[in-house]
Amino acid sequence: MNDRDCMNFSRADFPDNFEFGTATSSYQIEGHAFGGCGQTQWDTFAATAGNVARGENGAIACDHYHRWPEDLDLIQQAGLDSYRFSTSWARIIPQGRGAVNQQGLDFYDRLVDGLLERGIKPYACLYHWELPAALADLGGWRNREIADWFADFTQVTMERIGDRLHGAATFNEPWCIAWLSHFMGYHAPGLRDIRAAAHAMHHTLLAHGRAIQVMRSLGMNNLGVVMNFEYAEPADGSDEAHAAARLYDGIYNRWFLGGVFNKAYPDDVLAGLLQYMPENFAADFETIAEPVDWLGINYYTRKLVAPDKTGLFPGYKEVEGPLPKTTMGWEIYPQGLYHFITWADREYTKGLPIYVTENGMACADMVKDDSVADADRISFLNQHLDAVRRAIADGAPVHGYFIWSLLDNFEWTLGYDQRFGLVHVDFETLKRTPKQSFAALSQSLKND
Ligand code: IFM
């Protein structure tokens, strides 16, 4: 046996009460055609030719809306302790504001009870990207009022399920919500506009702070936010490449942490964005920095960064790296996970619990004889769990590790052929087939 056949750890290698979990998100698995759900920005983005591979969308996805008991049974069979799901704003409030869809609340209510009945700790994330289309019409994350709309959505949702959650997060990956979607145009709403991006980068954090206030007022605790980080390395030894990588790190990794934990945005990024920021933005830092109980880190890869010659901010470009890659084209670089855990602890969170809230890989998985051989995924998970263990040994307070993802699912602009699941999903029949990584994991989690 080597680290491609089985997991190379047992529970005893991690601190007491360390949680092993898995994560999903609503639009990627539930099926937004069901249950009185309102239209989302991802429905309209996907309906626009050229945005999503093969014109796929989340209308049915994994049909988790109907098959959730089977899916929760799988989490239990894997021996996992915790499950991180997200709540769809448009499922709960179809127009984003106003009338509540009771079927939507009932769905999440059943899901939370279903987890508790199976002995699995529920972690909810309020927002994982499927903004109600009616709010996108009003400017979405560019509109400052979204902080109030989001606070209201938080109130409605958490009044119903907040009493039984083990933990809750406001956002999944503010960088994606703001920069990837409003500057790079790669995700809904598909904008490529620096002012839109600067506004979205700020309003997302303002909404985060407001939602934390609402959840505290409901008596909830164990509240956090989930951020994604990418390790930026200069593509060569030049000063220009170093500066480019530093700015990439600023936009991707330091901006959101700076707002939440230091009441400030990084100067190098502000140098480019200040003129596009909402008026008087600094007055919002008291709200943005509302204390949280933990930080979630989503980590997948590193990027090599080089200067570009456009003369426009931010003036960098990504360069293909030499390391082995996942089918996403992402280099496998576990050292980056060690870096982000220890760096975030040292510079920003200073002893607060850290969870790795997403980590995993897409592979070209195929079912053969009712089995899926995914040795690459087993090896990937082993390497990254080694990095987590090293960070813990060096004093970092890591409390849990969530694998992305439970099921193969809708991978946004790339549609359904990027398979991240511990469980294979046949998107014709919706049959679930646990992969060999699932078996390896459950075997390992049984060992004390
Ligand atoms: O599928 C996504 C998820 O929605 C957010 N984090 C990264 C995953 C893989 O790309």
Side-chain angles (χ1 to χ4, degrees):
M1 300 286 252
N2 59 38
D3 87 336
R4 298 175 52 78
D5 297 320
C6 62
M7 302 303 305
N8 65 4
F9 70 92
S10 69
R11 284 188 181 272
D13 296 324
F14 288 85
D16 289 349
N17 301 322
F18 187 88
E19 293 172 42
F20 291 90
T22 186
T24 63
S25 91
S26 50
Y27 194 78
Q28 292 178 275
I29 65 166
E30 286 172 4
H32 268 56
F34 310 123
C37 197
Q39 196 171 62
T40 79
Q41 65 174 1
W42 266 95
D43 297 312
T44 57
F45 186 73
T48 310
N51 281 344
V52 176
R54 297 167 297 279
E56 291 169 348
N57 59 43
I60 297 176
C62 304
D63 191 26
H64 175 74
Y65 183 76
H66 297 109
R67 294 166 197 251
W68 63 268
E70 179 190 350
D71 294 338
L72 301 198
D73 287 347
L74 285 165
I75 301 172
Q76 190 182 37
Q77 281 160 29
L80 292 162
D81 310 304
S82 310
Y83 176 56
R84 191 171 84 83
F85 63 96
S86 74
T87 49
S88 169
W89 193 338
R91 181 177 296 294
I92 293 175
I93 307 179
Q95 297 302 309
R97 300 177 297 172
V100 172
N101 173 30
Q102 288 304 327
Q103 286 182 81
L105 283 177
D106 292 348
F107 170 70
Y108 294 115
D109 199 52
R110 286 193 299 269
L111 190 72
V112 171
D113 283 345
L115 287 163
L116 294 173
E117 280 158 18
R118 289 167 179 80
I120 302 162
K121 296 184 176 70
Y123 282 77
C125 178
L126 280 158
Y127 183 80
H128 195 127
W129 310 351
E130 56 290 299
L131 186 73
L135 298 185
D137 294 344
L138 300 175
W141 295 106
R142 287 175 291 154
N143 186 335
R144 182 182 174 85
E145 284 183 60
I146 199 161
D148 292 334
W149 307 332
F150 189 66
D152 292 345
F153 162 59
T154 303
Q155 178 93 24
V156 168
T157 304
M158 292 308 180
E159 269 176 357
R160 185 67 181 273
I161 62 171
D163 57 334
R164 280 151 295 146
L165 294 177
H166 189 75
T170 52
F171 286 107
N172 189 75
E173 304 183 351
W175 178 87
C176 292
I177 296 166
W179 190 259
L180 186 70
S181 310
H182 295 79
F183 186 86
M184 297 173 70
Y186 190 62
H187 275 190
L191 295 178
R192 288 195 54 8
D193 185 279
I194 195 166
R195 181 177 161 92
H199 279 63
M201 285 165 90
H202 184 68
H203 293 150
T204 307
L205 288 185
L206 181 60
H208 154 80
R210 295 277 286 107
I212 294 285
Q213 289 170 345
V214 169
M215 290 191 280
R216 293 278 183 226
S217 75
L218 292 172
M220 292 175 62
N221 52 35
N222 211 20
L223 309 179
V225 57
V226 171
M227 299 185 185
N228 56 325
F229 301 133
E230 270 187 11
Y231 192 74
E233 287 208 83
D236 59 45
S238 66
D239 289 351
E240 292 77 11
H242 274 89
R246 178 77 186 146
L247 190 54
Y248 188 99
D249 176 71
I251 293 172
Y252 211 122
N253 306 320
R254 287 182 279 118
W255 179 274
F256 301 99
L257 281 172
V260 172
F261 293 99
N262 289 351
K263 300 187 184 172
Y265 294 137
D267 288 340
D268 52 351
V269 183
L270 267 186
L273 291 188
L274 188 59
Q275 59 182 309
Y276 308 111
M277 290 294 288
E279 239 171 79
N280 210 13
F281 69 90
D284 293 326
F285 280 129
E286 285 308 316
T287 306
I288 288 173
E290 196 63 47
V292 291
D293 304 311
W294 53 269
L295 171 70
I297 293 180
N298 292 358
Y299 176 76
Y300 290 91
T301 191
R302 73 156 185 180
K303 287 284 159 55
L304 294 186
V305 186
D308 75 10
K309 308 277 185 241
T310 62
L312 294 174
F313 182 85
Y316 57 60
K317 62 181 182 200
E318 295 172 17
V319 174
E320 184 164 349
L323 302 177
K325 299 187 179 66
T326 72
T327 56
M328 295 289 285
W330 293 345
E331 287 189 300
I332 299 173
Y333 190 70
Q335 303 91 310
L337 181 55
Y338 173 88
H339 162 80
F340 283 120
I341 292 170
T342 50
W343 169 76
D345 178 44
R346 201 170 53 241
E347 302 290 331
Y348 294 95
T349 55
K350 304 192 163 88
L352 274 189
I354 289 177
Y355 290 83
V356 177
T357 33
E358 282 185 27
N359 180 235
M361 83 179 283
C363 305
D365 297 323
M366 282 182 321
V367 181
K368 201 167 161 220
D369 301 330
D370 236 17
S371 171
V372 179
D374 60 341
D376 288 346
R377 179 171 291 106
I378 295 173
S379 168
F380 180 100
L381 296 175
N382 276 327
Q383 292 176 54
H384 286 80
L385 277 160
D386 283 348
V388 173
R389 253 180 300 177
R390 269 202 307 125
I392 294 171
D394 290 348
V398 190
H399 287 223
Y401 173 88
F402 291 71
I403 295 169
W404 185 268
S405 182
L406 174 65
L407 305 170
D408 293 339
N409 59 48
F410 177 69
E411 180 54 29
W412 309 110
T413 52
L414 301 174
Y416 287 97
D417 68 353
Q418 292 294 328
R419 295 184 173 275
F420 275 92
L422 293 168
V423 176
H424 181 278
V425 178
D426 178 327
F427 290 104
E428 297 292 316
T429 63
L430 296 171
K431 179 172 184 230
R432 277 75 164 137
T433 306
K435 302 177 188 175
Q436 287 179 7
S437 56
F438 178 101
L441 187 70
S442 64
Q443 186 57 44
S444 206
L445 293 177
K446 279 188 205 129
N447 300 334
D448 287 331

